[in-house]
Amino acid sequence: MTLGPGDEDLVKVAALARQRAHAPYSSYKVGAAIRTGRNKVHAGANVENASYGLTVCAERTAVFAAVNAGDTKLDAIAIVIDDDRLPSPCGACRQVLAEFNPGMRVVLATTGGLRKATTLTELLPDPFLPENLS
């Protein structure tokens, strides 16, 4: 899938968020930026904790920022790392993203210029959704 309109702008916001990551243990800094149905962008960075289980990924930080601002219609997310390989959201992040849009556009990027556009459906083909609760 090729990059679409606005994807590169979303990557730029995610790259800026990555600079604010708190990753003193792994040094693996991740930035994310989510675009909403109202065309607003919310950013997030990973925040590590000495109690490793309390660490929060950039993708979830961005989702939580969007929801806190009243935005629950999420259209796209960009995820940026500084590596030779593209990032891949963890399973927990994929599940949280699916809560808000199981078909969300996902742009994976590196600070070195690698890019890949995909969808959450491709990354998480059978999510557990609210309708599974009924």
Side-chain angles (χ1 to χ4, degrees), residues 6 8 10 15 24-25 31 33 40-41 52 54-55 63-64 72 76 78 84 88 96 104 111 118-119 121 123 134:
E8 199 59 46
L10 205 56
Y25 308 106
K40 293 191 69 170
V41 174
Y52 296 141
L54 300 179
T55 294
V63 169
F64 300 157
T72 56
D84 295 335
S88 182
V96 168
M104 181 183 302
T111 57
T118 187
T119 65
T121 302
L123 296 174
S134 54

Side-chain angles (χ1 to χ4, degrees), residues 5-55:
D7 285 349
E8 199 59 46
D9 291 335
L10 205 56
V11 168
K12 287 178 186 174
V13 174
L16 288 172
R18 184 193 156 277
Q19 294 173 4
R20 295 186 296 271
H22 178 74
Y25 308 106
S26 71
S27 298
Y28 190 77
K29 294 183 174 190
V30 182
I34 290 204
R35 185 174 54 235
T36 72
R38 298 186 305 154
N39 209 31
K40 293 191 69 170
V41 174
H42 301 277
N46 59 316
V47 179
E48 293 181 350
N49 190 281
S51 178
Y52 296 141
L54 300 179
T55 294

Side-chain angles (χ1 to χ4, degrees), residues 14 17-18 21 28-35 41-47 55-68 71 74 76-81 86-100 104-109 120 123:
R18 184 193 156 277
Y28 190 77
K29 294 183 174 190
V30 182
I34 290 204
R35 185 174 54 235
V41 174
H42 301 277
N46 59 316
V47 179
T55 294
V56 179
C57 299
E59 298 91 332
R60 284 181 281 152
T61 303
V63 169
F64 300 157
V67 170
N68 190 53
D71 288 315
L74 309 181
I77 186 168
I79 306 160
V80 176
I81 61 172
L86 290 166
S88 182
C90 74
C93 288
R94 293 174 193 207
Q95 180 60 47
V96 168
L97 292 167
E99 177 82 8
F100 299 96
M104 181 183 302
R105 182 176 185 75
V106 179
V107 180
L108 308 171
L120 192 54
L123 296 174

